[in-house]
């Protein structure tokens, strides 16, 4: 377990914890899909940055997922503006 936490950067763990708190909070309180999209895009970008050197194709896939989340967020905001 100690080796697992040594391989994962601290900034990535903090972003994942914040993202999971946002998702759990949304599950019990808000029921807003925008909060889930924000959390998913944060985690996807952080994961893409973390694995960019070793697995570039997977990192690009995570960036595409983050871009799709951003597109859904923008679509939601333009519907109400």
């Amino acid at each position: 377990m100690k080796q697992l936490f040594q391989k994962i950067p601290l900034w990535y763990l903090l972003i994942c914890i914040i993202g999971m708190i946002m998702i759990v909070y949304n599950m019990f309180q808000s029921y807003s899909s925008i909060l889930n999209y924000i959390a998913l895009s944060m985690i996807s970008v952080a994961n893409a940055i973390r694995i960019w050197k070793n697995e570039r194709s997977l990192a690009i896939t995570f960036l595409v997922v983050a871009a799709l989340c951003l597109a859904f967020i923008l679509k939601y905001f333009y519907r109400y503006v």
Side-chain angles (χ1 to χ4, degrees):
M1 190 75 160
K2 187 176 182 180
Q3 290 177 342
L4 178 66
F5 286 120
Q6 287 178 347
K7 291 181 182 179
I8 299 175
L10 182 62
W11 63 268
Y12 178 72
L13 284 175
L14 292 175
I15 290 176
C16 284
I17 289 170
I18 291 170
M20 290 302 153
I21 288 172
M22 288 170 64
I23 291 171
V24 170
Y25 174 78
N26 187 30
M27 190 177 2
F28 292 115
Q29 297 291 327
S30 178
Y31 300 114
S32 171
S33 60
I34 295 299
L35 196 61
N36 284 343
Y37 286 137
I38 292 170
L40 182 61
S41 63
M42 279 178 15
I43 293 171
S44 294
V45 169
N47 202 14
I49 291 170
R50 184 178 67 92
I51 63 171
W52 183 260
K53 287 184 182 179
N54 299 332
E55 299 178 26
R56 188 146 306 175
S57 61
L58 187 60
I60 291 171
T61 305
F62 280 118
L63 289 175
V64 168
V65 168
L68 288 174
C69 290
L70 180 65
F72 283 125
I73 291 169
L74 292 176
K75 180 182 172 185
Y76 176 80
F77 283 125
Y78 282 130
R79 183 172 31 163
Y80 291 109
V81 173

